[in-house]
Amino acid sequence: MAYTVPKLTDYSAAALEHATGECIRSGTAEAASIQNEAELKAFRDRWLARKNGILTQINDSWLKGAPKEAKREAGFRVNELKVRIHELIESTERDYRHRAQIYDRVSSVFVDITLPGIRRPIGAEHPIIRTMNEIVSVFQKLGYSVADGPVVETDYYNFEALNFPPNHPARDTQDTLFIANQQSKPQRERLLLRTHTSPVQIRTMEKMRPPIRIVIPGQVHRNDPPDASHSPMFHQIEGLAVDTNITFGDLKGTLDHAMKALFGSSVKTHFRPSFFPFTEPSAELYVTCFICGGSGKRGSDPCRPCKQTGWIEVLGCGMVDPNVFEFVKDNGYDPKKVSGFAFGMGVDRLALLKYSVDDLQLFFQGDVRFLQQFA
Ligand code: PHE
């Protein structure tokens, strides 16, 4: 109900208090119902207009009409009321403008907030990254930390410090992709795409003194034409443990534990002699085929992943060759005092088997229909 100024007959303090209180209450209620610019203006005029505005009426009726002895008290009350009504009108205008600004901003971009939203697909780990993370976490639980190094490497780290002498035939087995136009540099500084994660063994030993236990996940490249089981870019996880008195028994125990953690406790491991310039002795590690369980057969069909042998090769490994320690001897790796083991595992082939994917290329083509299946 719109406010009308009552005539006062009682000018006691209590009566004046009641009258001013009623006035403020009504003004506040009117302010709260304002919906638009026109109503705001009407509100302001109704209360403040010099001619016949509510404050003018109050002034005329309550103050001028007051008996002499009540003038002082009435004057004080009416002045107080004026201040409060002015405050009310100012804050009402301020709030209104603020709301109008927000409304303008929202409506000017034509957002229909009733439309359904745009659902952004949440990404998922790529199956190779997921496999890598799983392998890394098995070693982290054994106290290994994670290291990494550059994919574009120098001849020194990829070969020389890993005991591949210049022109040694073992270099040929690596199918290296070289960076062009490096001939003017000394051989050890020439750039290439690292063919394995082993160079990070040297880089880490240059930075950290023994004892160390690290795993190194990363991309490597070799000059292999792409097909269902080869890719010029693939992934490895390197491992390195160096301490006093590390033995081949430690190597076998660690890797046997890791294979069981990765493929299940019934998996058997099998080491075969091999050769790498940077380990001596060296071995390849095989696990019982987790597709056929080691039988070489799937029902009456031959098991393809293990080529009917019942064994799958998962990594190369060995005891760090003392010649490798010679390159980092000054950082505490005296081959007479420390020993260690290293291993290098191919990740991509394991991911293929784990997810029963029959073409390695699918991992690298970025086809969302393929990748979505792993989300
Ligand atoms: N770097 C070797 C390869 O890529 C694997 C390996 C790593 C072997 C560490 C022994 C020790 O084939």
Side-chain angles (χ1 to χ4, degrees), residues 31-43:
S33 70
I34 288 170
Q35 297 285 358
N36 55 41
E37 193 80 32
E39 284 176 16
L40 183 68
K41 185 175 180 320
F43 172 68

Side-chain angles (χ1 to χ4, degrees), residues 22-55:
E22 275 301 295
C23 177
I24 297 279
R25 246 191 310 285
S26 299
T28 309
E30 275 182 38
S33 70
I34 288 170
Q35 297 285 358
N36 55 41
E37 193 80 32
E39 284 176 16
L40 183 68
K41 185 175 180 320
F43 172 68
R44 190 188 166 89
D45 289 348
R46 204 169 107 68
W47 285 81
L48 299 186
R50 278 196 202 292
K51 253 176 105 185
N52 222 26
I54 289 172
L55 281 186

Side-chain angles (χ1 to χ4, degrees), residues 162 174 195-199 201 220 222 234 236-239 275-276 278-279 282-283 315-319 341-345:
L162 288 168
Q174 299 270 325
T195 57
H196 49 179
T197 41
S198 304
Q201 288 188 29
V220 301
R222 289 190 195 181
F234 57 102
Q236 289 190 336
I237 294 182
E238 191 84 8
F275 173 79
F276 301 100
F278 40 95
T279 47
S282 304
L315 55 79
C317 59
M319 301 307 290
F341 65 78
F343 58 87
M345 197 184 308

